[in-house]
């Protein structure tokens, strides 16, 4: 990547990754602690609540925050228009979700949803109140301030949820965690932001924004039921305990993997949008991002796949022991997430929101086909199908990147595969060492983790991995900036 672009994104990448690491680290810790006090069936209930909120929040956002982020300048009237749209949509969707609660409870055969959904849906109102404030911080690449919002919100809501779970509130502890986290984030975003919205709506601004966000909204509306279709199908067809085990595994995957991708995406999208008319530099920028993402991402995925049985046995109570294969397969399905995110980002930067929509349609048809075929083999067949579908989705995504930017599927594999191969080699070494020493699970878990990390780092240094070199360059930029600020 060009030096100028690297300097522009360096601090943003560092703070965004730190924000996500802290925020999601707290999330993982809270989830693991809650597993000691909450049964898998409660996670099945919260799975349905989470899917409903994901769908509602997509409509509330309407793709407008993405439109704000990519705009070169945002007037006050534009910000006010987006805020009003978000707020009106949130109120309407809250009312609709409350009205739909009895029908959803009957569909999923979970009567408790009649009471849980109206409370959990309050999070949507808080999301609408802070969406524009967060978008402004992303535009300015001010991820340091975002961390000051995310960490206390995650920590406080998680702590309260744990206390409620210990007091026997069960699934309500998980619901209150969702609502409290959204409320605290909204309050803190307002506190750190100088902008105060006015309830003014301008049709001209709305038309300009919706010209870009409309296709994104359609794509995301379609994406929510398909992205969560495994939760929906497993919750509907299988026992609540099975659904709870799957959602627990998916929640851990989202906390570990999805947010790492989101951190990279949230920084690179506004930064690389400035190069949308310079294809050569834009392509090189994305190649560096893919190599660096793979260097960070691949060892995390392979480590979880290798260490999941030990991790579940050592960390979680006995009733969760059967969660190990769920965790392994759901994590493995996320191996190509950075490539998917980069390809979608290219379409957005090149102003082809229509392609985001139509490629999404193709991938969803593929996903439904794989799901229908895999159902005959039960829940494990469904999970294996999820892994297969993730790899198949790479084909239409990368095809569009080739057409728009000349970034071919083979080039993406060349940039991504070396880190994956090194991670597999390191995981194989750690597994062999674990079998050779035959240690107790409590000792084997940290030993295998350290062995894999050391092996991966050594191999990356030995082979001079591009992701490692780029990461070291980022650290060098951070160090020089800090030295300059100290002076």
């Amino acid at each position: 990547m060009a030096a100028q672009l690297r300097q522009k994104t360096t601090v943003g990448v560092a703070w965004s990754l730190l924000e996500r690491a802290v925020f999601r680290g707290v999330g993982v810790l809270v989830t693991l602690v809650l597993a000691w006090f909450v049964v898998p069936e409660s996670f099945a209930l919260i799975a349905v609540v989470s899917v409903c909120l994901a769908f509602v929040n997509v409509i509330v956002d309407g793709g407008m925050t993405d439109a704000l982020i990519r705009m070169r300048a945002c007037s006050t009237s534009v910000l006010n228009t987006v805020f009003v749209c978000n707020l009106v949509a949130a109120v309407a969707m809250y009312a609709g979700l409350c009205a739909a609660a009895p029908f959803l409870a009957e569909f999923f055969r979970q009567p408790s949803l009649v009471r849980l959904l109206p409370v959990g849906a309050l999070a949507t109102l808080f999301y609408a109140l802070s969406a524009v404030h967060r978008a402004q911080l992303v535009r300015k690449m001010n991820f340091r301030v975002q961390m000051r919002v995310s960490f206390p919100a995650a920590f406080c809501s998680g702590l309260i949820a744990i206390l409620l779970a210990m007091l026997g509130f069960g699934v309500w502890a998980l619901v209150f965690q969702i609502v409290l986290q959204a409320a605290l984030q909204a309050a803190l975003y307002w506190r750190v932001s100088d902008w105060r919205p006015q309830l003014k709506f301008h049709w001209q601004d709305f038309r300009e924004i919706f010209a870009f966000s409309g296709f994104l909204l359609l794509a995301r509306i379609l994406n929510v039921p398909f992205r969560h279709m495994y939760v929906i199908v497993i919750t509907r067809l299988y026992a609540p305990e099975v659904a709870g085990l799957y959602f627990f595994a998916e929640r851990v995957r989202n906390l570990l993997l999805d947010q790492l991708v989101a951190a990279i995406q949230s920084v690179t999208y506004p930064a690389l949008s400035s190069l949308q008319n310079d294809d050569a530099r834009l392509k090189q920028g994305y190649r560096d991002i893919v190599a660096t993402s793979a260097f960070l991402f691949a060892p995390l995925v392979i480590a979880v796949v290798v260490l999941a049985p030990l991790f579940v046995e050592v960390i979680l109570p006995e009733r969760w022991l059967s969660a190990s294969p769920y965790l392994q397969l759901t994590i493995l399905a996320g191996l190509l997430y950075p490539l998917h995110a980069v390809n979608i980002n290219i379409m957005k930067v090149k102003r082809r929101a229509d392609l985001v929509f139509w490629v999404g349609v193709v991938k969803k048809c593929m996903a439904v086909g794989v799901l229908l075929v895999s159902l005959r083999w039960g829940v494990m067949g469904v999970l294996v199908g999820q892994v297969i579908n993730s790899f198949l989705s790479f084909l239409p995504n990368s095809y569009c990147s080739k057409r728009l930017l000349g970034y071919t599927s083979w080039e993406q594999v060349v940039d991504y595969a070396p880190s994956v191969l090194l991670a597999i080699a390191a995981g194989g070494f750690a597994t062999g060492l674990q079998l050779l020493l035959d240690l107790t699970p409590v000792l084997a878990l940290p030993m295998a983790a350290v062995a894999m990390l050391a092996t991966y780092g050594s191999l990356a240094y030995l082979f001079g991995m591009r992701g490692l070199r780029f990461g070291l360059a980022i650290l060098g930029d951070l160090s020089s900036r800090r030295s300059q600020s100290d002076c």
Side-chain angles (χ1 to χ4, degrees):
M1 186 184 292
Q4 183 180 1
L5 181 62
R6 191 176 73 208
Q7 291 174 359
K8 182 177 181 180
T9 59
T10 293
V11 174
V13 169
W15 278 109
S16 184
L17 288 176
L18 182 59
E19 177 218 353
R20 303 281 178 166
V22 172
F23 180 56
R24 297 304 168 178
V26 172
V28 170
L29 181 61
V30 169
T31 299
L32 296 178
V33 174
L34 287 172
W36 281 88
F37 304 100
V38 179
V39 296
E41 289 82 352
S42 294
F43 277 88
L45 286 170
I46 210 65
V48 178
V49 175
S50 298
V51 171
C52 293
L53 291 182
F55 181 77
V56 167
N57 286 342
V58 162
I59 297 177
V60 169
D61 180 84
M64 293 186 178
T65 54
D66 270 327
L68 290 180
I69 292 169
R70 71 176 295 278
M71 293 176 70
R72 294 187 179 275
C74 288
S75 65
T76 302
S77 64
V78 169
L79 297 175
N80 287 332
T81 298
V82 173
F83 180 83
V84 170
C85 289
N86 288 345
L87 193 59
V88 171
V91 173
M93 294 308 300
Y94 177 80
L97 192 56
C98 290
F103 303 99
L104 292 169
E106 183 178 355
F107 176 78
F108 287 104
R109 296 175 296 206
Q110 298 286 354
S112 301
L113 291 174
V114 175
R115 301 187 307 274
L116 295 174
L117 280 173
V119 178
L122 291 172
T124 297
L125 301 177
F126 295 118
Y127 172 79
L129 290 172
S130 60
V132 176
H133 297 78
R134 183 182 181 279
Q136 291 184 81
L137 291 175
V138 174
R139 286 189 74 250
K140 299 173 182 176
M141 301 181 68
N142 194 342
F143 299 98
R144 181 175 184 175
V145 173
Q146 286 191 57
M147 190 179 74
R148 288 164 48 195
V149 171
S150 299
F151 175 71
F155 180 80
C156 294
S157 62
L159 182 61
I160 293 173
I162 291 172
L163 293 175
L164 291 174
M166 292 174 65
L167 293 173
F169 279 78
V171 68
W172 284 104
L174 300 172
V175 174
F176 287 141
Q177 181 191 13
I178 293 173
V179 177
L180 286 173
Q181 185 168 310
L184 289 171
Q185 282 186 325
L188 291 171
Y189 272 123
W190 277 64
R191 180 179 176 83
V192 300
S193 175
D194 295 329
W195 178 75
R196 292 294 178 265
Q198 296 177 320
L199 298 180
K200 294 181 179 180
F201 180 84
H202 300 272
W203 275 108
Q204 181 61 34
D205 292 329
F206 174 77
R207 284 194 294 267
E208 291 178 4
I209 294 169
F210 198 72
F212 174 80
S213 66
F215 274 110
L216 289 182
L217 174 60
L218 288 175
R220 289 172 181 174
I221 287 176
L222 282 177
N223 188 54
V224 169
F226 283 95
R227 175 170 181 163
H228 298 280
M229 69 179 177
Y230 294 97
V231 171
I232 296 171
V233 169
I234 290 173
T235 304
R236 181 67 178 81
L237 297 182
Y238 299 100
E241 181 181 0
V242 171
L245 291 171
Y246 173 76
F247 182 68
F248 173 81
E250 186 185 61
R251 186 168 179 171
V252 172
R253 181 192 67 188
N254 292 343
L255 291 169
L256 289 177
L257 304 187
D258 289 22
Q259 298 306 317
L260 179 58
V261 173
I264 297 170
Q265 200 171 17
S266 64
V267 174
T268 57
Y269 177 50
L272 293 175
S273 291
S274 63
L275 299 179
Q276 57 189 268
N277 297 320
D278 188 344
D279 284 355
R281 293 177 63 201
L282 186 61
K283 178 180 176 179
Q284 186 57 48
Y286 273 116
R287 295 199 69 170
D288 285 335
I289 289 168
V290 167
T292 306
S293 299
F295 180 74
L296 297 172
F297 209 78
L300 179 60
V301 171
I302 303 303
V304 174
V305 172
V306 169
L307 301 177
L310 287 173
F311 179 83
V312 171
E313 185 176 356
V314 172
I315 302 298
L316 297 177
E318 186 176 353
R319 61 176 175 267
W320 289 95
L321 289 180
S322 53
S324 176
Y326 293 81
L327 187 57
Q328 289 174 306
L329 290 171
T330 52
I331 289 288
L332 188 59
L335 180 61
L336 298 186
Y337 276 11
L339 286 178
H340 297 329
V342 162
N343 286 305
I344 295 298
N345 238 347
I346 289 173
M347 298 179 216
K348 289 162 64 177
V349 167
K350 299 299 286 186
R351 302 181 181 181
R352 294 302 303 271
D354 57 325
L355 280 181
V356 177
F357 173 73
W358 290 115
V359 170
V361 171
V362 172
K363 291 190 296 183
K364 289 163 183 55
C365 292
M366 293 166 51
V368 171
V370 172
L371 177 62
L372 292 176
V373 171
S374 63
L375 278 173
R376 62 186 297 182
W377 288 284
V379 66
M380 285 298 128
V382 171
L383 294 178
V384 172
Q386 189 177 24
V387 177
I388 294 172
N389 178 65
S390 179
F391 281 80
L392 290 177
S393 296
F394 172 68
L395 300 176
N397 281 340
S398 58
Y399 174 77
C400 290
S401 295
K402 176 185 176 182
R403 295 290 300 272
L404 294 174
L405 198 60
Y407 192 11
T408 66
S409 303
W410 176 247
E411 287 176 317
Q412 294 185 38
V413 171
V414 168
D415 292 336
Y416 200 82
S419 293
V420 176
L421 295 176
L422 286 192
I424 292 174
F429 174 77
T431 301
L433 189 61
Q434 171 196 338
L435 295 175
L436 179 65
L437 297 179
D438 194 24
L439 300 173
T440 63
V442 175
L443 295 176
L445 178 60
M447 183 278 300
V450 171
M452 182 175 176
L453 179 62
T455 304
Y456 181 77
S458 300
L459 290 175
Y461 180 78
L462 179 65
F463 288 103
M465 297 294 292
R466 193 170 80 185
L468 175 61
R469 296 198 308 270
F470 186 68
L472 292 175
I474 287 179
L475 292 176
D477 284 344
L478 282 173
S479 178
S480 63
R481 281 175 176 243
R482 181 164 185 172
S483 299
Q484 292 173 5
S485 63
D486 290 341
C487 296

mmCIF file of all heavy atoms in Angstrom, residues 39-50 108 110 113 171 174 231 235 239-245 247-248 320:
data_model
loop_
_atom_site.group_PDB
_atom_site.id
_atom_site.type_symbol
_atom_site.label_atom_id
_atom_site.label_comp_id
_atom_site.label_asym_id
_atom_site.label_seq_id
_atom_site.Cartn_x
_atom_site.Cartn_y
_atom_site.Cartn_z
ATOM 1 N N VAL A 39 -28.798 -22.233 31.158
ATOM 2 C CA VAL A 39 -28.848 -23.508 30.443
ATOM 3 C C VAL A 39 -28.886 -23.252 28.935
ATOM 4 O O VAL A 39 -29.269 -22.158 28.485
ATOM 5 C CB VAL A 39 -30.088 -24.321 30.869
ATOM 6 C CG1 VAL A 39 -29.997 -24.681 32.334
ATOM 7 C CG2 VAL A 39 -31.374 -23.551 30.588
ATOM 8 N N PRO A 40 -28.510 -24.253 28.120
ATOM 9 C CA PRO A 40 -28.532 -24.064 26.656
ATOM 10 C C PRO A 40 -29.886 -23.635 26.111
ATOM 11 O O PRO A 40 -29.967 -22.896 25.129
ATOM 12 C CB PRO A 40 -28.129 -25.449 26.130
ATOM 13 C CG PRO A 40 -27.286 -26.035 27.218
ATOM 14 C CD PRO A 40 -27.893 -25.538 28.489
ATOM 15 N N GLU A 41 -30.973 -24.105 26.740
ATOM 16 C CA GLU A 41 -32.306 -23.741 26.257
ATOM 17 C C GLU A 41 -32.533 -22.229 26.310
ATOM 18 O O GLU A 41 -33.256 -21.671 25.470
ATOM 19 C CB GLU A 41 -33.380 -24.452 27.085
ATOM 20 C CG GLU A 41 -33.466 -25.954 26.834
ATOM 21 C CD GLU A 41 -32.429 -26.744 27.612
ATOM 22 O OE1 GLU A 41 -31.536 -26.127 28.240
ATOM 23 O OE2 GLU A 41 -32.504 -27.995 27.586
ATOM 24 N N SER A 42 -31.932 -21.544 27.280
ATOM 25 C CA SER A 42 -32.069 -20.086 27.368
ATOM 26 C C SER A 42 -31.357 -19.405 26.210
ATOM 27 O O SER A 42 -31.816 -18.377 25.701
ATOM 28 C CB SER A 42 -31.507 -19.588 28.703
ATOM 29 O OG SER A 42 -32.293 -20.063 29.786
ATOM 30 N N PHE A 43 -30.233 -19.976 25.784
ATOM 31 C CA PHE A 43 -29.543 -19.418 24.617
ATOM 32 C C PHE A 43 -30.370 -19.601 23.348
ATOM 33 O O PHE A 43 -30.263 -18.803 22.406
ATOM 34 C CB PHE A 43 -28.167 -20.060 24.457
ATOM 35 C CG PHE A 43 -27.107 -19.427 25.309
ATOM 36 C CD1 PHE A 43 -26.887 -19.846 26.602
ATOM 37 C CD2 PHE A 43 -26.329 -18.393 24.809
ATOM 38 C CE1 PHE A 43 -25.908 -19.253 27.391
ATOM 39 C CE2 PHE A 43 -25.341 -17.794 25.590
ATOM 40 C CZ PHE A 43 -25.137 -18.215 26.885
ATOM 41 N N ALA A 44 -31.201 -20.646 23.304
ATOM 42 C CA ALA A 44 -32.088 -20.827 22.155
ATOM 43 C C ALA A 44 -33.106 -19.694 22.085
ATOM 44 O O ALA A 44 -33.427 -19.178 21.006
ATOM 45 C CB ALA A 44 -32.795 -22.178 22.246
ATOM 46 N N LEU A 45 -33.638 -19.289 23.224
ATOM 47 C CA LEU A 45 -34.593 -18.172 23.256
ATOM 48 C C LEU A 45 -33.935 -16.873 22.829
ATOM 49 O O LEU A 45 -34.486 -16.101 22.037
ATOM 50 C CB LEU A 45 -35.173 -18.029 24.662
ATOM 51 C CG LEU A 45 -36.198 -19.082 25.094
ATOM 52 C CD1 LEU A 45 -36.488 -18.961 26.583
ATOM 53 C CD2 LEU A 45 -37.487 -18.921 24.297
ATOM 54 N N ILE A 46 -32.749 -16.614 23.346
ATOM 55 C CA ILE A 46 -32.076 -15.356 23.016
ATOM 56 C C ILE A 46 -31.633 -15.360 21.563
ATOM 57 O O ILE A 46 -31.461 -14.286 20.950
ATOM 58 C CB ILE A 46 -30.879 -15.123 23.961
ATOM 59 C CG1 ILE A 46 -30.650 -13.615 24.152
ATOM 60 C CG2 ILE A 46 -29.614 -15.764 23.467
ATOM 61 C CD1 ILE A 46 -31.764 -12.906 24.845
ATOM 62 N N ALA A 47 -31.485 -16.539 20.967
ATOM 63 C CA ALA A 47 -31.160 -16.617 19.544
ATOM 64 C C ALA A 47 -32.274 -16.014 18.703
ATOM 65 O O ALA A 47 -32.028 -15.250 17.764
ATOM 66 C CB ALA A 47 -30.926 -18.069 19.140
ATOM 67 N N VAL A 48 -33.521 -16.341 19.035
ATOM 68 C CA VAL A 48 -34.662 -15.793 18.299
ATOM 69 C C VAL A 48 -34.749 -14.280 18.497
ATOM 70 O O VAL A 48 -34.978 -13.531 17.537
ATOM 71 C CB VAL A 48 -35.968 -16.466 18.758
ATOM 72 C CG1 VAL A 48 -37.159 -15.862 18.013
ATOM 73 C CG2 VAL A 48 -35.912 -17.970 18.519
ATOM 74 N N VAL A 49 -34.539 -13.821 19.726
ATOM 75 C CA VAL A 49 -34.563 -12.375 19.993
ATOM 76 C C VAL A 49 -33.487 -11.669 19.174
ATOM 77 O O VAL A 49 -33.740 -10.607 18.577
ATOM 78 C CB VAL A 49 -34.365 -12.106 21.504
ATOM 79 C CG1 VAL A 49 -34.255 -10.607 21.769
ATOM 80 C CG2 VAL A 49 -35.520 -12.693 22.305
ATOM 81 N N SER A 50 -32.304 -12.247 19.114
ATOM 82 C CA SER A 50 -31.197 -11.622 18.381
ATOM 83 C C SER A 50 -31.481 -11.542 16.886
ATOM 84 O O SER A 50 -31.166 -10.538 16.247
ATOM 85 C CB SER A 50 -29.904 -12.409 18.627
ATOM 86 O OG SER A 50 -29.549 -12.383 19.993
ATOM 87 N N PHE A 108 -42.002 -20.535 16.602
ATOM 88 C CA PHE A 108 -40.833 -21.194 17.189
ATOM 89 C C PHE A 108 -41.193 -22.097 18.367
ATOM 90 O O PHE A 108 -40.302 -22.662 18.998
ATOM 91 C CB PHE A 108 -39.819 -20.136 17.650
ATOM 92 C CG PHE A 108 -39.098 -19.458 16.519
ATOM 93 C CD1 PHE A 108 -39.425 -18.167 16.136
ATOM 94 C CD2 PHE A 108 -38.099 -20.118 15.826
ATOM 95 C CE1 PHE A 108 -38.763 -17.539 15.089
ATOM 96 C CE2 PHE A 108 -37.430 -19.503 14.781
ATOM 97 C CZ PHE A 108 -37.765 -18.208 14.405
ATOM 98 N N GLN A 110 -42.157 -21.315 21.311
ATOM 99 C CA GLN A 110 -41.525 -20.789 22.521
ATOM 100 C C GLN A 110 -42.435 -19.704 23.111
ATOM 101 O O GLN A 110 -42.313 -18.530 22.778
ATOM 102 C CB GLN A 110 -40.142 -20.202 22.200
ATOM 103 C CG GLN A 110 -39.137 -21.188 21.659
ATOM 104 C CD GLN A 110 -38.598 -22.120 22.732
ATOM 105 O OE1 GLN A 110 -38.902 -21.966 23.925
ATOM 106 N NE2 GLN A 110 -37.809 -23.096 22.322
ATOM 107 N N LEU A 113 -41.414 -16.023 24.311
ATOM 108 C CA LEU A 113 -41.082 -14.925 23.407
ATOM 109 C C LEU A 113 -42.106 -13.795 23.454
ATOM 110 O O LEU A 113 -41.785 -12.644 23.134
ATOM 111 C CB LEU A 113 -40.958 -15.444 21.968
ATOM 112 C CG LEU A 113 -39.759 -16.344 21.676
ATOM 113 C CD1 LEU A 113 -39.848 -16.909 20.266
ATOM 114 C CD2 LEU A 113 -38.463 -15.559 21.847
ATOM 115 N N VAL A 171 -32.935 -16.537 31.388
ATOM 116 C CA VAL A 171 -32.864 -15.907 30.073
ATOM 117 C C VAL A 171 -33.035 -14.391 30.148
ATOM 118 O O VAL A 171 -32.539 -13.647 29.298
ATOM 119 C CB VAL A 171 -33.928 -16.519 29.129
ATOM 120 C CG1 VAL A 171 -35.337 -16.156 29.584
ATOM 121 C CG2 VAL A 171 -33.690 -16.070 27.697
ATOM 122 N N LEU A 174 -29.863 -12.430 29.904
ATOM 123 C CA LEU A 174 -29.353 -12.220 28.544
ATOM 124 C C LEU A 174 -30.097 -11.099 27.835
ATOM 125 O O LEU A 174 -29.501 -10.306 27.095
ATOM 126 C CB LEU A 174 -29.477 -13.522 27.747
ATOM 127 C CG LEU A 174 -28.719 -14.739 28.298
ATOM 128 C CD1 LEU A 174 -29.090 -15.996 27.526
ATOM 129 C CD2 LEU A 174 -27.226 -14.509 28.254
ATOM 130 N N VAL A 231 -29.754 -20.400 12.381
ATOM 131 C CA VAL A 231 -30.387 -20.236 13.697
ATOM 132 C C VAL A 231 -31.887 -20.489 13.588
ATOM 133 O O VAL A 231 -32.486 -21.195 14.416
ATOM 134 C CB VAL A 231 -30.126 -18.817 14.243
ATOM 135 C CG1 VAL A 231 -30.953 -18.572 15.500
ATOM 136 C CG2 VAL A 231 -28.654 -18.638 14.563
ATOM 137 N N THR A 235 -33.475 -23.737 15.305
ATOM 138 C CA THR A 235 -34.392 -23.445 16.402
ATOM 139 C C THR A 235 -35.785 -24.003 16.117
ATOM 140 O O THR A 235 -36.481 -24.458 17.034
ATOM 141 C CB THR A 235 -34.483 -21.924 16.637
ATOM 142 O OG1 THR A 235 -33.170 -21.411 16.861
ATOM 143 C CG2 THR A 235 -35.349 -21.606 17.839
ATOM 144 N N ALA A 239 -34.438 -29.707 18.894
ATOM 145 C CA ALA A 239 -34.738 -29.467 20.309
ATOM 146 C C ALA A 239 -34.106 -28.169 20.781
ATOM 147 O O ALA A 239 -33.058 -27.754 20.260
ATOM 148 C CB ALA A 239 -34.222 -30.637 21.151
ATOM 149 N N PRO A 240 -34.714 -27.484 21.772
ATOM 150 C CA PRO A 240 -34.147 -26.231 22.278
ATOM 151 C C PRO A 240 -32.699 -26.357 22.739
ATOM 152 O O PRO A 240 -31.915 -25.424 22.573
ATOM 153 C CB PRO A 240 -35.084 -25.878 23.449
ATOM 154 C CG PRO A 240 -36.376 -26.538 23.113
ATOM 155 C CD PRO A 240 -36.005 -27.803 22.399
ATOM 156 N N GLU A 241 -32.324 -27.502 23.298
ATOM 157 C CA GLU A 241 -30.940 -27.673 23.746
ATOM 158 C C GLU A 241 -29.976 -27.634 22.569
ATOM 159 O O GLU A 241 -28.912 -27.006 22.636
ATOM 160 C CB GLU A 241 -30.786 -29.001 24.489
ATOM 161 C CG GLU A 241 -29.360 -29.220 25.005
ATOM 162 C CD GLU A 241 -29.207 -30.542 25.726
ATOM 163 O OE1 GLU A 241 -30.198 -31.282 25.822
ATOM 164 O OE2 GLU A 241 -28.090 -30.825 26.191
ATOM 165 N N VAL A 242 -30.348 -28.280 21.456
ATOM 166 C CA VAL A 242 -29.509 -28.266 20.252
ATOM 167 C C VAL A 242 -29.404 -26.844 19.712
ATOM 168 O O VAL A 242 -28.318 -26.380 19.350
ATOM 169 C CB VAL A 242 -30.098 -29.207 19.178
ATOM 170 C CG1 VAL A 242 -29.368 -29.041 17.848
ATOM 171 C CG2 VAL A 242 -30.009 -30.657 19.648
ATOM 172 N N ALA A 243 -30.531 -26.138 19.664
ATOM 173 C CA ALA A 243 -30.529 -24.747 19.188
ATOM 174 C C ALA A 243 -29.669 -23.865 20.081
ATOM 175 O O ALA A 243 -28.948 -22.977 19.608
ATOM 176 C CB ALA A 243 -31.953 -24.208 19.138
ATOM 177 N N GLY A 244 -29.728 -24.112 21.391
ATOM 178 C CA GLY A 244 -28.920 -23.330 22.319
ATOM 179 C C GLY A 244 -27.438 -23.574 22.135
ATOM 180 O O GLY A 244 -26.631 -22.639 22.185
ATOM 181 N N LEU A 245 -27.046 -24.838 21.918
ATOM 182 C CA LEU A 245 -25.639 -25.149 21.678
ATOM 183 C C LEU A 245 -25.142 -24.477 20.408
ATOM 184 O O LEU A 245 -24.028 -23.931 20.370
ATOM 185 C CB LEU A 245 -25.453 -26.664 21.568
ATOM 186 C CG LEU A 245 -25.649 -27.478 22.859
ATOM 187 C CD1 LEU A 245 -25.647 -28.960 22.556
ATOM 188 C CD2 LEU A 245 -24.563 -27.132 23.874
ATOM 189 N N PHE A 247 -26.419 -21.734 18.932
ATOM 190 C CA PHE A 247 -26.353 -20.277 19.068
ATOM 191 C C PHE A 247 -25.193 -19.862 19.955
ATOM 192 O O PHE A 247 -24.563 -18.821 19.718
ATOM 193 C CB PHE A 247 -27.657 -19.727 19.646
ATOM 194 C CG PHE A 247 -27.666 -18.228 19.766
ATOM 195 C CD1 PHE A 247 -27.683 -17.437 18.624
ATOM 196 C CD2 PHE A 247 -27.630 -17.609 21.002
ATOM 197 C CE1 PHE A 247 -27.677 -16.050 18.724
ATOM 198 C CE2 PHE A 247 -27.614 -16.234 21.109
ATOM 199 C CZ PHE A 247 -27.644 -15.450 19.965
ATOM 200 N N PHE A 248 -24.887 -20.644 20.968
ATOM 201 C CA PHE A 248 -23.720 -20.350 21.804
ATOM 202 C C PHE A 248 -22.454 -20.354 20.944
ATOM 203 O O PHE A 248 -21.625 -19.442 21.034
ATOM 204 C CB PHE A 248 -23.608 -21.384 22.921
ATOM 205 C CG PHE A 248 -22.354 -21.270 23.732
ATOM 206 C CD1 PHE A 248 -22.252 -20.336 24.755
ATOM 207 C CD2 PHE A 248 -21.261 -22.091 23.484
ATOM 208 C CE1 PHE A 248 -21.089 -20.221 25.505
ATOM 209 C CE2 PHE A 248 -20.103 -21.989 24.230
ATOM 210 C CZ PHE A 248 -20.019 -21.047 25.239
ATOM 211 N N TRP A 320 -22.244 -28.375 28.882
ATOM 212 C CA TRP A 320 -21.869 -27.764 27.611
ATOM 213 C C TRP A 320 -20.829 -28.579 26.846
ATOM 214 O O TRP A 320 -20.325 -28.132 25.810
ATOM 215 C CB TRP A 320 -21.303 -26.360 27.858
ATOM 216 C CG TRP A 320 -22.343 -25.362 28.276
ATOM 217 C CD1 TRP A 320 -22.670 -25.016 29.549
ATOM 218 C CD2 TRP A 320 -23.191 -24.600 27.415
ATOM 219 N NE1 TRP A 320 -23.671 -24.077 29.544
ATOM 220 C CE2 TRP A 320 -24.010 -23.795 28.240
ATOM 221 C CE3 TRP A 320 -23.334 -24.508 26.032
ATOM 222 C CZ2 TRP A 320 -24.955 -22.918 27.732
ATOM 223 C CZ3 TRP A 320 -24.273 -23.641 25.509
ATOM 224 C CH2 TRP A 320 -25.078 -22.863 26.356
#
